[in-house]
Amino acid sequence: MTPSTRPAPGLPEWLREEERRLYGFAAGSAVSDGFGWLDADGRVERDRPAAAWITARMTHVFSLAHLRGEADAGRLADHGVASLATGPLRDARDGGWFDRVPDDTGGNTPRERSHELPRKSAYEHAFVVLAASSATLAGRPGARELLDDALRVVEERFWEESAGALRESWDSGWTATEDYRGANSNMHAVEAFLAAADATGDAVWARRALSVAERLIHGVAAEHDWRLPEHFTSDWKPVPDYNRDRPDHPFRPFGSTTGHLLEWARLLVHLEVALSRAGDPVPAWLRTDAEALFDHAVRRGWAVDGAEGFVYTLDWQDRPVVRERMHWVVAEAAMAAWALGEHTGVATYADLHERWWAYADRYHVDRERGSWHHELDPDNRPAASVWPGKPDVYHAYQAALLPQIGLSASIAAALLPGTDHDSGGNA
């Protein structure tokens, strides 16, 4: 398809083409231990050990692709499920998943192992739950067993009932937890829990997703005028100066992270759908908070330094800190705009959805080498200061897929035959 005949960005035909293109790029990521980190040309970086978050994200994507009818996606999803169930990312001795494949099997005692093996983190475990949930909904062998195992570990090791949220991480032997709590891992737990509720039929996971959202959004973000501190002490006191000396951290940056506010806005919409369909009470704040998060993120984060694009982070006076443009941020912006437009019927969201797809197509989509440029500099040129290469397609693939399939509690559930999608309006 030539540029002159290609549909406009964001239209259904364009999104379907982009979805297939991203799947084709990702299909080359399989390695013996799971899925590897891809470079700018789609080659696996062999010097990086397989990571649990990438392996789980890609298993999720391939499960979605299987439901979309991609010919080889089932095999890739099965590879991911097997890698997470029995591969070296899983700790066969003490349970749970290492953040990355260990260099060796470690010592014989928990103390020896804790010094030699990678940590076990809520972020990675949330993605294992998401992957297993999507693979279960896709009917992949071994997926439900993997999901049951992952949910058991999350419930026993990470879920903190008194806080209504997740602990951050443990050493390899589950002997000591980190004196830190993070919003990022808990945000992804919301997505994972909604998928788990769809895959298991157990509404407790949707209720736990609501608990996390109530603490972090209706509580912390609302109290900070929709700026979300992301780093906390173990008793959930914000640490606003966390990583001030390393503001561009890829997972724990200093300041307010624009993309997470947009991602939260979308997740609150999914959560409202989930609770409504389960027959649970739907708090009115879910919609008003989603709209407030979105509006403030756009006003504070889009083109605030004079160039198109969302800056990565802002300080607490809304000044740009890290001005690089991350691909996942505009992907989440497009998804949030679409979801809010579908759910509220407000036309402005559709206009923004179109605007951001045009921006992504102009700057992030890499039609020469594949996938998307994961990072752009403040002048919208490809960069790699925070995110070298093109590790995975999770955000971009979901952004291309979501507007084609309709709104549901989880993306995988929306792909099941006979799913009654949210038709928009004020449902």
Side-chain angles (χ1 to χ4, degrees):
M1 187 177 291
T2 65
S4 60
T5 62
R6 183 177 296 126
L11 292 180
E13 300 90 341
W14 187 95
L15 292 168
R16 181 62 170 146
E17 177 194 348
E18 186 61 15
E19 173 198 341
R20 288 169 169 159
R21 198 182 68 85
L22 287 162
Y23 166 74
F25 185 89
S29 62
V31 295
S32 61
D33 296 335
F35 295 106
W37 184 295
L38 297 176
D39 68 12
D41 294 305
R43 297 184 297 256
V44 173
E45 295 193 6
R46 299 289 174 180
D47 59 336
R48 292 180 183 264
W53 66 275
I54 289 181
T55 295
R57 281 183 175 187
M58 298 303 277
T59 302
H60 164 67
V61 166
F62 293 132
S63 297
L64 299 179
H66 172 70
L67 287 167
R68 292 289 279 169
E70 297 293 348
D72 201 36
R75 178 187 64 83
L76 291 166
D78 294 348
H79 172 70
V81 168
S83 298
L84 292 168
T86 61
L89 284 166
R90 185 179 181 278
D91 186 350
R93 174 170 159 172
D94 291 328
W97 286 266
F98 300 116
D99 291 355
R100 56 173 173 78
V101 170
D103 295 332
D104 53 45
T105 58
N108 293 320
T109 70
R111 176 168 294 187
E112 290 172 336
R113 286 163 58 83
S114 69
H115 287 294
E116 298 177 6
L117 295 177
R119 295 188 69 81
K120 295 171 179 173
S121 301
Y123 183 89
E124 281 73 11
H125 281 71
F127 278 113
V128 173
V129 169
L130 178 65
S133 298
S134 297
T136 296
L137 290 164
R140 305 318 302 167
R144 181 54 195 263
E145 292 79 5
L146 175 64
L147 177 57
D148 290 342
D149 186 19
L151 290 175
R152 178 187 55 78
V153 173
V154 167
E155 187 155 33
E156 292 179 359
R157 301 296 187 178
F158 291 99
W159 182 252
E160 197 168 18
E161 184 66 32
S162 61
L166 298 183
R167 299 178 180 91
E168 185 66 18
S169 75
W170 293 83
D171 62 7
S172 63
W174 307 110
T175 60
T177 187
E178 187 176 1
D179 186 21
Y180 169 92
R181 300 291 183 268
N184 189 9
S185 58
N186 275 276
M187 178 187 71
H188 284 293
V190 169
E191 179 184 33
F193 288 178
L194 292 176
D198 278 338
T200 65
D202 189 346
V204 69
W205 295 106
R207 293 171 193 139
R208 285 176 175 170
L210 176 63
S211 173
V212 173
E214 185 166 14
R215 168 176 283 279
L216 287 169
I217 302 305
H218 198 54
V220 177
E223 291 167 359
H224 289 81
D225 194 23
W226 309 108
R227 304 171 184 90
L228 177 60
E230 300 224 5
H231 315 296
F232 302 85
T233 61
S234 59
D235 56 353
W236 287 98
K237 292 184 175 62
V239 186
D241 283 340
Y242 190 94
N243 266 348
R244 183 181 282 275
D245 59 346
R246 194 185 171 187
D248 61 350
H249 194 285
F251 295 106
R252 299 183 182 183
F254 162 74
S256 178
T257 306
T258 306
H260 285 164
L261 303 180
L262 296 163
E263 196 165 356
W264 269 112
R266 174 177 68 86
L267 290 172
L268 295 186
V269 175
H270 290 294
L271 180 53
E272 185 175 346
V273 172
L275 295 172
S276 177
R277 291 185 179 169
D280 281 8
V282 179
W285 62 261
L286 282 172
R287 183 167 303 188
T288 57
D289 286 16
E291 292 172 333
L293 280 173
F294 182 91
D295 292 345
H296 284 273
V298 173
R299 178 170 58 81
R300 292 165 174 160
W302 173 259
V304 293
D305 56 357
E308 284 189 290
F310 287 99
V311 297
Y312 181 36
T313 59
L314 302 164
D315 68 13
W316 304 116
Q317 289 74 46
D318 301 330
R319 296 172 299 204
V321 178
V322 179
R323 296 171 56 210
E324 277 67 22
R325 278 78 167 138
M326 306 301 167
H327 89 292
W328 66 266
V329 179
V330 72
E332 289 296 337
M335 282 194 282
W338 179 85
L340 282 164
E342 282 289 294
H343 213 43
T344 66
V346 176
T348 304
Y349 292 120
D351 296 337
L352 291 173
H353 179 253
E354 179 181 336
R355 178 181 187 182
W356 290 329
W357 270 120
Y359 166 81
D361 184 53
R362 185 179 311 120
Y363 294 113
H364 279 286
V365 174
D366 186 353
R367 299 199 178 279
E368 178 182 352
R369 302 166 78 181
S371 189
W372 291 23
H373 300 297
H374 273 39
E375 178 185 336
L376 304 173
D377 71 12
D379 295 314
N380 284 303
R381 298 172 299 198
S385 63
V386 179
W387 283 108
K390 299 168 180 173
D392 75 314
V393 299
Y394 157 76
H395 287 283
Y397 186 86
Q398 292 196 143
L401 183 57
L402 182 61
Q404 301 180 68
I405 63 176
L407 190 58
S408 188
S410 68
I411 292 178
L415 293 169
L416 297 178
T419 300
D420 181 19
H421 296 147
D422 182 359
S423 58
N426 294 319

